[in-house]
Amino acid sequence: MKLSKTLLSFFIVMIATVALAQNPLNFGSNIRTADPSAHVWKDGRLYIYASHDEECQEDFWMKDWHIFSTDDLINWTDHGACLSVDDLSWADNFAWAPDCAYKNGKYYFCFPVGTGFKDRVNPKNSTKWMGIGIAVSDSPTGPFKDAIGAPLWRAPYANDPCIFVDDDGTGYIYFNGGGDYMVAVLNDDFLSVKGELKTMDMGGYKPKREGPWVFKRNDIYYYTMPEDNRVLTYYTSNSPLGPWKYHGVIMEQEHQSNNHHSIVEYNGQWLLFYHRWIDTGDACPNRKRQRQICAEYLFFNEDGTIQPVKRTEEGLARKLE
C-alpha cells in the first residue's frame, strides 16, 4: 500500500518529534541521573556532569559521577563514570551534586562526598560528614584524579558546591556550609581557598536550601538555588560576593521532592537543566519514583529578571515562537 505524500509527511514529523522529545534526556544508557552541572567548553560542545542514582539505592548512598556531552542537544555521548568514591582515600559515600570548571588548560571537577551514616529516624545518632574535593584532568571527560587527597576544608560540613569563574579568571566556590549561604575565593591553582570562608549577605531572606548555581549575564550575577530543596528560586547582585537581592521563583516544586539544576547559554539560547522524579512503577518497591535529568528553555525579561519555567514533556523539542 502506498502512502500519500500528506500521510508520509505526517509520519516523518511524528518520528522526528519522538526523536527530539527530550524529557527525560536520552543519554543512551539506562542509568538514573540527577543534579546536572551543564557547561559549554572551548570545543563548543555542551557537557553535563551528573550524579548517579544507583538502581533502587538505599537513601542517597551514591558512589560515582558521570559525564554526558552533545553538540546538537539531541544526540548525547555517554562518557561513563569520571570519578568514584573507590578512587578516594578520605570518603566512601554520598557522591552528590558535582560541578566542573576550566582554567589554564585544566578541568577541575568539584565534588561533594562523605562518610558515616545519616539516621533519619533518630538524627542525634547520625555520624554523617561531608566535604568538598577537587579532581583534575587535561580532558573535559576525564578521567579525573583526586588532586588534594583531602577535602578543601573539614569544617564546616559542606555539600553541593558550585564553582563560578568570573571574566577576570577569579574562581569562587559557593556551597551550603553548616546551613548558611557561603562562598570562598579560590587560589589560582583552584586547589585551595584564599583567606576566610565568607557568609554572604542575602538581603535578609535565607530559607533552607541546597545546590546553588551562580552565573553571569549582562554584568548581572545570578545566585540560583532549590529553595527548601524543592522550588528553584534566585537572587541577583552586581558582585559575585553579594549582597544579593531576592526575586522569587524560577520553577515550582513537583511531588514534594528535591530538585537540583544548572543554567547555561548554548548557541545563543539559555537553557535550564534539572531533574525530575519519574514514575518507574514497581521496578523499585522502596522508591516508586527515580530521578532523571531534564531540560527546558529559559528566558529573561528586559530588566534581567528570569521568566518562570514550567516542566514540559517536550523539553528542548518544544517549538519556540
Side-chain angles (χ1 to χ4, degrees):
M1 179 180 68
K2 293 184 178 181
L3 295 174
S4 69
K5 288 184 178 180
T6 301
L7 190 57
L8 182 60
S9 297
F10 171 78
F11 280 119
I12 290 174
V13 170
M14 289 299 294
I15 292 171
T17 300
V18 171
L20 287 169
Q22 294 290 297
N23 287 335
L25 294 174
N26 182 4
F27 292 137
S29 58
N30 294 323
I31 68 169
R32 310 293 180 183
T33 56
D35 309 321
S37 167
H39 291 274
V40 179
W41 301 131
K42 59 182 181 178
D43 62 1
R45 289 181 70 84
L46 187 148
Y47 293 82
I48 289 181
Y49 299 83
S51 62
H52 170 208
D53 284 349
E54 297 188 5
E55 201 74 19
C56 304
Q57 69 190 14
E58 187 173 355
D59 207 320
F60 291 99
W61 296 358
M62 300 152 69
K63 303 300 183 181
D64 59 18
W65 300 268
H66 284 246
I67 303 175
F68 309 93
S69 72
T70 182
D71 60 9
D72 60 10
L73 301 177
I74 302 170
N75 301 293
W76 293 83
T77 299
D78 181 351
H79 299 281
C82 66
L83 189 69
S84 165
V85 296
D86 293 337
D87 302 321
L88 308 175
S89 62
W90 51 277
D92 59 9
N93 204 341
F94 311 114
W96 288 5
D99 196 11
C100 194
Y102 172 82
K103 187 174 183 179
N104 298 332
K106 300 285 186 181
Y107 296 87
Y108 296 85
F109 184 73
C110 180
F111 57 93
V113 70
T115 60
F117 171 73
K118 183 172 183 177
D119 191 327
R120 294 185 181 274
V121 178
N122 298 298
K124 65 179 181 180
N125 295 329
S126 292
T127 59
K128 180 184 171 189
W129 167 88
M130 288 192 73
I132 296 172
I134 301 287
V136 181
S137 176
D138 293 327
S139 166
T141 58
F144 287 88
K145 183 177 180 180
D146 183 14
I148 308 173
L152 282 168
W153 59 82
R154 288 197 173 273
Y157 171 112
N159 66 1
D160 294 357
C162 166
I163 292 182
F164 168 72
V165 182
D166 210 347
D167 299 334
D168 64 359
T170 302
Y172 302 84
I173 181 168
Y174 302 83
F175 56 97
N176 174 24
D180 215 333
Y181 290 67
M182 302 193 74
V183 63
V185 179
L186 291 168
N187 282 311
D188 289 340
D189 63 3
F190 273 36
L191 301 179
S192 56
V193 298
K194 183 183 300 183
E196 300 284 330
L197 305 180
K198 304 177 188 297
T199 299
M200 293 187 296
D201 178 355
M202 307 307 293
Y205 185 68
K206 298 168 67 173
K208 178 183 176 183
R209 60 87 187 88
E210 288 183 350
W213 181 264
V214 176
F215 67 97
K216 185 179 182 180
R217 175 183 179 271
N218 294 344
D219 294 325
I220 299 174
Y221 296 88
Y222 293 80
Y223 181 101
T224 67
M225 64 181 187
E227 186 171 322
D228 293 325
N229 301 341
R230 290 169 169 77
V231 182
L232 301 186
T233 61
Y234 75 108
Y235 300 76
T236 60
S237 177
N238 59 9
S239 165
L241 298 175
W244 298 94
K245 179 183 177 181
Y246 183 75
H247 290 278
V249 175
I250 300 172
M251 175 181 279
E252 296 286 358
Q253 67 84 27
E254 182 180 56
H255 306 312
Q256 292 298 322
S257 298
N258 68 38
N259 198 354
H260 192 104
H261 71 297
S262 57
I263 294 170
V264 68
E265 185 179 19
Y266 182 65
N267 289 341
Q269 175 63 57
W270 287 88
L271 307 173
L272 168 69
F273 292 89
Y274 64 104
H275 66 236
R276 297 183 76 172
W277 290 76
I278 306 298
D279 189 348
T280 54
D282 296 327
C284 293
N286 65 326
R287 184 166 289 184
K288 296 295 186 180
R289 298 183 188 274
Q290 298 189 73
R291 299 185 295 180
Q292 292 286 81
I293 293 174
C294 299
E296 309 289 351
Y297 294 109
L298 185 82
F299 298 96
F300 296 83
N301 297 311
E302 289 187 6
D303 63 359
T305 54
I306 299 175
Q307 296 181 14
V309 178
K310 291 185 178 181
R311 295 170 180 81
T312 68
E313 299 301 321
E314 299 89 350
L316 303 182
R318 180 168 61 90
K319 184 177 179 180
L320 297 179
E321 296 180 359

